[in-house]
Amino acid sequence: AAGAGTLMTEILAQVPDLDTVVVSVGGGGLFAGVATAATYHGVRTVAVEPENCRALSAAIEAGEPVDVTVDSVASDSLGARRATPLALAAARSDLVTSVLVSDEAIIGARQHLWDQHRLAVEHAAATALAGVHGSGGYVPAEGEKVGVVLCGANTSLGDL
């Protein structure tokens, strides 16, 4: 998580006036690092999980890490059965929002990244984009500067 937090430093070096960072969540290591660093800098974090792979949002609801069922197109990367206590602690910030997205939204976001930007990403990376691209996700305010972490390229062009 500490190493992942350096990602936020790199993002802010390029976009110092960033308002919100969007990141997909599995067990929570990447999220915890990014969210902790983002909160320190006053930047909002949107934590995005597949609806059927929701270790963090279940932990938020329960007030502690709990076991969840894992069943999503992104489960190979985001398929943690339980969020880490560190991730739950990071999610308790007022600057963190948790959203769930459908597998259909993830697939659509992944296809969009390929069709519009020629970025071949795994479903986990597309999950982050689905959080602001698909229905039911985070809706940025007008003029809000949003960065989406596209972490994970464990895919092949044949999968697209």
Side-chain angles (χ1 to χ4, degrees), residues 59-105:
I60 292 168
E61 289 172 11
E64 64 183 351
V66 294
D67 287 340
V68 297
T69 303
V70 174
D71 182 22
S72 170
V73 295
S75 62
D76 60 344
S77 297
L78 302 181
R81 293 215 174 272
R82 176 181 285 247
T84 66
L86 186 61
L88 179 56
R92 289 186 169 138
S93 166
D94 290 341
L95 291 175
V96 173
T97 301
S98 175
V99 299
L100 300 174
V101 295
S102 68
D103 279 355
E104 292 76 23

Side-chain angles (χ1 to χ4, degrees), residues 22 24 48 73-74 101-135 148-150 160:
V22 182
S24 59
V48 187
V73 295
V101 295
S102 68
D103 279 355
E104 292 76 23
I106 295 167
I107 292 166
R110 184 174 183 238
Q111 193 64 51
H112 171 83
L113 286 166
W114 175 250
D115 291 345
Q116 300 301 315
H117 305 285
R118 287 299 185 245
L119 293 173
V121 302
E122 66 183 59
H123 289 105
T127 298
L129 181 61
V132 292
H133 190 258
S135 63
V148 178
V149 177
L150 298 177
L160 293 171

